[in-house]
Amino acid sequence: MKLNRSTDMALRIAMVTAASPARTTVDELATQLALPRSHAAKIVQRLQRIGVLVTIRGRSGGVAFAEHAAELTVGHVVRAFEGDDEVVACEEPACPLVAGCRLRGELRRAQRAFLAVLDEVRLGDLAAGPAGPLLLTLGAPPAPN
């Protein structure tokens, strides 16, 4: 299964904000992750709606990882961004095999297994250990030699 670009961006933004002890801005996130600012802003808004981020408006505002977001799972984010669509669309155009096809059921089973694995991974785990400091260096200029 391939995740769409928005889901990939959402997971990256979640990881960076989880690793950061301070608030950041959409502009900083877009720069750090080499993303278009407009896309980053839309993703941040969606992540805020599903409880991954908090946003604070104003001059000293910004974006931060939500207090309880570390317990949310990667599966939660993937479902929010990918929806509940099946891997294949057998109705459009109508498949002549649909009445006796076993492939659709197996693809559903594979999709459930994929999401079940992602449900075991908490967002907080993605920024734990050595990954956290590494995430904070993204987009930073290289250290002088």
Side-chain angles (χ1 to χ4, degrees):
M1 184 170 172
K2 183 177 180 180
L3 300 177
N4 69 46
R5 179 91 168 116
S6 295
T7 306
D8 177 32
M9 291 170 37
L11 292 169
R12 292 175 192 218
I13 289 171
M15 289 167 61
V16 168
T17 56
S20 178
R23 281 187 222 144
T24 187
T25 67
V26 170
D27 289 331
E28 290 168 339
L29 287 169
T31 299
Q32 276 182 289
L33 297 169
L35 303 172
R37 191 222 182 270
S38 60
H39 293 328
K42 290 176 188 175
I43 300 302
V44 164
Q45 185 178 46
R46 287 178 71 185
L47 287 169
Q48 186 266 329
R49 269 185 283 187
I50 64 169
V52 175
L53 300 178
V54 291
T55 57
I56 297 115
R57 292 182 181 251
R59 189 173 166 165
S60 61
V63 177
F65 199 61
E67 186 176 338
H68 301 289
E71 298 304 314
L72 296 175
T73 67
V74 173
H76 173 75
V77 175
V78 169
R79 283 182 187 86
F81 279 80
E82 297 288 329
D84 292 328
D85 293 342
E86 291 187 47
V87 177
V88 293
C90 299
E91 289 81 22
E92 296 177 20
C95 177
L97 301 174
V98 76
C101 183
R102 294 182 57 199
L103 178 61
R104 186 177 193 183
E106 294 304 317
L107 290 173
R108 283 180 181 156
R109 190 169 71 91
Q111 185 175 22
R112 282 191 305 269
F114 175 76
L115 291 169
V117 169
L118 297 180
D119 285 337
E120 295 174 7
V121 182
R122 294 180 319 198
L123 293 177
D125 297 339
L126 298 176
L134 177 62
L135 286 163
L136 296 177
T137 66
L138 295 176
N145 291 336

